[in-house]
Amino acid sequence: IVNTRADRGRLDDLRRTINGLSSDMHAAEKRVAQLKGIEENLVAQRNAFQEGRILQLEARANELKVQITSAEATHHDAQQAMERPKKLNATGSQTIATLLHAERDFKTSGLAIEAAKIRLEGNKIELDAARKGLSVGDSYNDLPRSAQRLDEVRQQLLDGSARVEENK
């Protein structure tokens, strides 16, 4: 039975809704696919940053260890250089000013060792954080920009996937 006067408005509305949902679902699927490509690039970028930062901090740690060794050698030399003026000063053959300079050099070389050890400890903190994927230090965020962007893209992926499922 066909009734040509029957109201088909609701049926037409439902068809338009179905077509709209289908179009929206396909657009969301394309967006999800694009976001997955962006996600892969950001993961690679974040990993490259992390690996580079770790290598940089390991190199700095090695440099600081060399500085400590050098400062210890300088400190040892300063200690020996201080002993000579002490002996000569006791006999009156050396001025007090020379002894004071030698004592100053000895003290500053000891402080140089301490300062290098403190810098090495700070570097160790940064290195441990870098191995966990975090950035700690002057002018750094807690996460590199690539990791922050990756979090944003993953949130958009979840939203897009939920939209696809909702439209289905």
Side-chain angles (χ1 to χ4, degrees):
I1 299 174
V2 176
N3 183 353
T4 56
R5 290 197 266 166
D7 184 16
R8 297 178 52 96
R10 181 69 182 133
L11 180 60
D12 292 338
D13 286 342
L14 289 173
R15 284 185 178 148
R16 278 191 296 274
T17 301
I18 289 171
N19 288 337
L21 289 173
S22 179
S23 295
D24 192 36
M25 181 180 66
H26 292 303
E29 287 172 337
K30 286 181 183 178
R31 181 69 180 145
V32 166
Q34 289 173 338
L35 288 170
K36 285 183 180 182
I38 293 170
E39 178 187 32
E40 289 175 17
N41 290 336
L42 287 171
V43 167
Q45 186 178 359
R46 181 203 58 198
N47 292 344
F49 174 85
Q50 183 178 7
E51 291 169 12
R53 185 75 177 132
I54 288 169
L55 290 174
Q56 179 186 36
L57 291 169
E58 286 173 345
R60 187 184 305 156
N62 290 333
E63 176 187 2
L64 289 169
K65 288 174 186 175
V66 169
Q67 285 179 3
I68 290 169
T69 302
S70 174
E72 288 171 343
T74 301
H75 185 65
H76 180 69
D77 287 346
Q79 182 180 14
Q80 290 178 344
M82 185 179 66
E83 294 300 322
R84 286 187 293 272
K86 275 186 180 179
K87 291 176 186 174
L88 292 173
N89 188 43
T91 63
S93 309
Q94 189 76 39
T95 65
I96 191 74
T98 304
L99 177 60
L100 292 174
H101 286 299
E103 287 176 347
R104 180 204 60 206
D105 291 345
F106 177 71
K107 288 178 185 176
T108 55
S109 65
L111 292 173
I113 294 170
E114 187 177 334
K117 287 181 178 179
I118 290 169
R119 284 193 310 273
L120 181 62
E121 185 60 30
N123 188 77
K124 182 183 179 296
I125 292 168
E126 285 187 59
L127 183 57
D128 290 343
R131 287 184 174 132
K132 294 176 186 172
L134 302 174
S135 296
V136 177
D138 294 341
S139 73
Y140 288 113
N141 292 320
D142 59 340
L143 288 174
R145 177 70 183 124
S146 55
Q148 292 173 1
R149 179 72 177 121
L150 180 61
D151 289 343
E152 294 169 6
V153 166
R154 285 184 172 158
Q155 182 61 46
Q156 291 174 357
L157 268 170
L158 289 173
D159 292 344
S161 297
R163 190 172 184 170
V164 168
E165 291 302 314
E166 179 184 325
N167 288 337
K168 284 182 181 179

